[in-house]
């Protein structure tokens, strides 16, 4: 079922103590968020167990920011999907542009990660989005279509029920430059059309597609009012409970 979701990607920010305090503040304010709007926080790996404890019994879900592309074994420094499940995660973000850009993650690698995550019972928030050069060259539809197909066309219609897509134009991330609601909507609409070609209209209509990139309380309302925008993946503004909840109150 298509959902309304506001997810906070904390990236590499906060100490454990700061993260626990932030999670507590989010849980406290989550009572203000209406039924039907799901909240998720994605702290760093080191925080997951402690934050899971804080979130217990609340309406706030827990996500990792990444996972390994191997199930277990001699992969120093990696974190497996089973570890994430055992830490209390229900979700993992995959394919964030920062992973693609700084750590060389490819669509082929992401197929492996999505496979493992789904098989472990995790929901996946898969990120797609064009960079500034691609946008300026007018290639944004093409790039996002290709990323969507290259990863998701390896999965079944049933598996799509556990996958959320986040459209995050790279030029809008952390720059203060939000895509306009119209720019975001036309890409979301395009993603839904691509999904419909492969999985049928019902699956496309049921897929939750989030927008990310300098989303804040002041612009969330207009973005979330678009027919194909089902919520947000929030970076900087997710580090303040007031802003994060303010965005969730923008539906
Ligand atoms: P900002 O909200 O800081 O632009 O980050 C968006 C993002 O990358 C979320 O994953």
């Amino acid at each position: 079922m298509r959902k309304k979701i506001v997810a906070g990607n904390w990236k590499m920010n906060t100490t454990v103590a700061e993260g626990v305090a932030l999670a507590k503040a989010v849980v406290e304010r989550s009572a203000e968020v209406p039924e039907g709007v799901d909240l998720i926080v994605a702290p760093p790996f080191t925080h997951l167990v402690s934050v899971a404890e804080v979130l217990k019994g609340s309406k706030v879900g827990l996500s990792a920011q990444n996972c390994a592309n191997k199930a277990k074994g001699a992969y120093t420094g990696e974190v497996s999907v089973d570890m994430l499940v055992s830490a209390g995660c229900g979700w993992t973000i995959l394919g964030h542009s920062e992973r693609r850009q700084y750590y060389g993650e490819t669509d082929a690698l992401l197929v492996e990660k999505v496979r493992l995550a789904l098989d472990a019972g995790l929901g996946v928030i898969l990120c797609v989005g064009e960079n500034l050069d691609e946008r300026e060259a007018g290639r944004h539809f093409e790039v996002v279509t290709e990323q969507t197909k290259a990863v998701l066309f390896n999965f079944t219609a049933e598996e799509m029920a556990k996958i959320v897509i986040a459209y995050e134009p790279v030029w809008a991330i952390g720059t203060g430059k939000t895509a306009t609601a119209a720019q975001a909507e036309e890409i979301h609409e395009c993603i839904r059309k691509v999904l419909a070609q492969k999985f049928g209209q019902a699956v496309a209509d049921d897929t939750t597609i989030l927008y990310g990139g300098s989303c804040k309380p002041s612009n969330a309302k207009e973005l979330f009012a678009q027919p194909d925008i089902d919520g947000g993946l929030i970076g900087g503004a997710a580090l303040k409970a007031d802003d994060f909840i303010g965005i969730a109150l923008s539906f």
Side-chain angles (χ1 to χ4, degrees):
M1 267 300 283
R2 190 153 156 192
K3 290 182 181 149
K4 292 184 166 77
I5 297 177
V6 175
N9 175 10
W10 297 0
K11 307 192 179 183
M12 197 172 73
N13 293 296
T14 72
T15 62
V16 175
E18 288 164 351
V20 165
L22 176 55
K24 280 185 182 158
V26 168
V27 167
E28 263 166 37
R29 303 266 331 254
S30 66
E32 299 165 38
V33 176
E35 277 293 302
V37 178
D38 292 352
L39 297 175
I40 298 171
V41 293
F45 288 136
T46 45
H47 304 24
L48 290 172
V49 170
S50 313
V51 169
E53 202 55 43
V54 174
L55 302 185
K56 232 177 232 166
S58 81
K59 64 173 282 177
V60 185
L62 183 63
S63 177
Q65 298 174 16
N66 186 23
C67 72
N69 67 325
K70 304 285 187 214
K72 66 185 290 188
Y75 300 100
T76 302
E78 290 294 308
V79 177
S80 76
V81 289
D82 287 349
M83 293 172 191
L84 297 181
V85 171
S86 70
C89 285
W91 294 88
T92 185
I93 296 171
L94 288 173
H96 193 279
S97 63
E98 289 149 16
R99 301 292 322 165
R100 294 177 189 257
Q101 190 180 346
Y102 305 137
Y103 301 98
E105 293 202 0
T106 61
D107 291 327
L109 179 86
L110 292 169
V111 172
E112 297 175 359
K113 293 188 175 193
V114 173
R115 172 86 274 142
L116 286 165
L118 293 178
D119 288 351
L122 291 170
V124 168
I125 302 173
L126 178 77
C127 303
V128 296
E130 81 286 357
N131 65 31
L132 185 60
D133 287 349
E134 291 161 342
R135 162 74 53 174
E136 285 178 345
R139 296 185 50 232
H140 37 293
F141 289 106
E142 181 195 328
V143 168
V144 170
T145 297
E146 274 318 303
Q147 289 173 339
T148 304
K149 285 186 176 175
V151 180
L152 294 181
F153 280 20
N154 294 284
F155 298 91
T156 64
E158 290 69 37
E159 287 170 330
M160 283 303 299
K162 291 279 284 179
I163 298 174
V164 166
I165 299 172
Y167 167 57
E168 299 206 313
V170 178
W171 49 271
I173 296 177
T175 57
K177 257 198 227 169
T178 324
T180 64
Q183 282 174 323
E185 169 58 20
E186 62 182 5
I187 297 280
H188 283 229
E189 190 187 15
C190 164
I191 293 170
R192 226 179 274 288
K193 281 198 182 127
V194 171
L195 297 178
Q197 283 165 16
K198 167 81 175 169
F199 302 109
Q201 195 60 48
V203 170
D205 287 341
D206 275 352
T207 302
T208 304
I209 309 180
L210 310 180
Y211 167 79
S214 298
C215 187
K216 38 190 187 260
S218 58
N219 59 27
K221 210 175 192 69
E222 202 190 344
L223 287 160
F224 296 175
Q226 303 304 311
D228 289 297
I229 301 182
D230 306 313
L233 181 56
I234 318 301
L239 296 172
K240 288 193 185 133
D242 284 352
D243 287 350
F244 185 60
I245 297 296
I247 291 169
L249 293 174
S250 301
F251 281 102

